[in-house]
Amino acid sequence: MATGTRGTRGAGTVGAQALPVIESPAQVAPADARELSRQFFERLAVLREGTPEHQYARNTLIEMNMSLVRFAARRFRGFADELEDVVQVGMIGLIKAIDRFELSRETEFATFAVPYIVGEMKRFFRDTTWAVHVPRRLQERRAELTRAREELEKRLDRSPTAKELAALMGIGEDEVAEARLAANGYTSASLDAALSGDAVDGEAALADVIGAEDPALGLVEDFHALAPLMAELSDRERLLLRLRFGAELTQSQIGEQLGVSQMQVSRLLSRTVAKLRAGMLGGSAEGEGSPA
C-alpha cells in the first residue's frame, strides 16, 4: 500500500487534518482498501462538492475499489468479446454506489456496491442484445430464416411464401412461423416513434401511452437467483437477514433479541452476506475470497 503525505496544500486536506496520499490507488490491496475507504468516506461526507479536496477523495475511492468491478465482471466471463465494455459499465455502477453510500448504514461498502455494479452490467446486456429473451435455438433459426428469405427474394424477385421458405430450409411451415415470431424479439420500436409512423407535430409517441417503468422489476431476476441460495442458509442466518433487512433493526437491537453481542451480529451478517454474494456471482465464499 503506497501512502504518503504532501508538503504543500494537497487535495487530500480537510481543515487541519489530511487524508493519506495514495500514490497508486488501483494497486491498493483489498484488505487495505476496505479500511482506507472508510476513512475517505468519513471525509467525503463533510467536504463541499466541487472542491479539489472532494474531487481527490471521490477519485481515490473510485480507483481503490475498481477490484469490485473486476470481481463482478467474472460473472460475465463467457462474453469475452464484450468484457471490456462490461467493465466500463460496471464502473458506472461503482460511481453510483460511491455517491450514494453512507457509513451510517452499518454495511460494508463492498456489500452495498456490488448490486449497483452488477445491475449496470445486466442493463448493458439487456440494452445491447435481444429486446426480449429468446431461446438460442430460435435465435439460430431466425438467422437461417433471414438468409433463406434473402436468397429466395433474389431468385424469385418477390417476397417468398412460408411454404417456399419451409421447403428451402427443410422445415415445416409452423417452424417458419415460429422463427418469424422469434425475430420480433430481436428489435424493438423506439419509444419516441410516432404511433402512426409519421412524425407530425403534436402527435403522441409510444412513450406517452404506456406506463412508466417500475424500478422494482429490475430486482425480479435477482430475487429468483437469490431464492435457492437463501434456502441453503441456516434458520439462524435467515432470521438474522430478516431482522436486519426486513425489520430494519440495528445490529445492537438484533443482538439484544438473539442474546449475542453487536460484534457477533456484525461478523455473522458479514459472513452470511458474503456467502450470498459469492453465490450470486457464481463463485464460492471460500474459493473466491472477498474483494474490497
Side-chain angles (χ1 to χ4, degrees), residues 85-105:
D85 291 331
V86 170
V87 171
Q88 291 299 319
V89 297
M91 290 298 297
I92 296 173
L94 174 63
I95 293 170
K96 287 182 178 180
I98 288 173
D99 290 340
R100 298 173 186 178
F101 182 68
E102 298 175 1
L103 286 173
S104 59
R105 295 177 182 272

Side-chain angles (χ1 to χ4, degrees), residues 103-104 114 167 180 202 227 243:
L103 286 173
S104 59
V114 167
R180 281 175 166 170
L243 293 175

Side-chain angles (χ1 to χ4, degrees), residues 190-267:
S190 168
L191 293 178
D192 296 323
L195 290 178
S196 67
D198 300 320
V200 180
D201 290 342
E203 184 171 5
L206 180 59
D208 298 326
V209 296
I210 63 175
E213 178 183 356
D214 185 349
L217 291 177
L219 299 175
V220 172
E221 183 179 347
D222 287 338
F223 285 152
H224 280 292
L226 194 59
L229 299 175
M230 289 288 292
E232 295 176 1
L233 298 178
S234 67
D235 291 341
R236 188 185 192 192
E237 289 172 325
R238 284 196 294 271
L239 174 60
L240 196 64
L241 293 176
R242 186 162 59 251
L243 293 175
R244 181 68 186 92
F245 301 108
E248 297 187 346
L249 300 183
T250 65
Q251 292 182 4
S252 298
Q253 291 171 327
I254 295 172
E256 291 176 4
Q257 284 204 24
L258 301 183
V260 296
S261 68
Q262 182 270 332
M263 185 62 70
Q264 287 176 293
V265 171
S266 178
R267 283 199 297 266

Side-chain angles (χ1 to χ4, degrees), residues 270-290:
S270 296
R271 189 171 61 202
T272 303
V273 171
K275 186 188 301 183
L276 292 175
R277 183 170 68 244
M280 290 285 285
L281 294 175
S284 63
E286 294 78 18
E288 292 272 303
S290 178

Side-chain angles (χ1 to χ4, degrees), residues 178-195:
E178 187 181 38
R180 281 175 166 170
L181 183 62
N184 293 332
Y186 192 69
T187 57
S188 54
S190 168
L191 293 178
D192 296 323
L195 290 178

Side-chain angles (χ1 to χ4, degrees), residues 136-147:
R136 179 172 295 276
R137 174 183 63 83
L138 291 180
Q139 293 181 31
E140 295 172 350
R141 183 59 55 79
R142 183 204 67 84
E144 294 173 11
L145 177 66
T146 300
R147 290 192 295 268

Side-chain angles (χ1 to χ4, degrees), residues 126-170:
R126 285 199 298 267
D127 293 344
T128 58
T129 54
W130 288 70
V132 295
H133 176 69
V134 175
R136 179 172 295 276
R137 174 183 63 83
L138 291 180
Q139 293 181 31
E140 295 172 350
R141 183 59 55 79
R142 183 204 67 84
E144 294 173 11
L145 177 66
T146 300
R147 290 192 295 268
R149 183 188 295 111
E150 291 174 351
E151 180 179 337
L152 286 174
E153 284 177 348
K154 291 178 182 177
R155 187 188 305 172
L156 302 172
D157 198 25
R158 60 173 173 80
S159 295
T161 65
K163 183 177 181 178
E164 291 167 336
L165 287 167
L168 179 62
M169 297 172 67

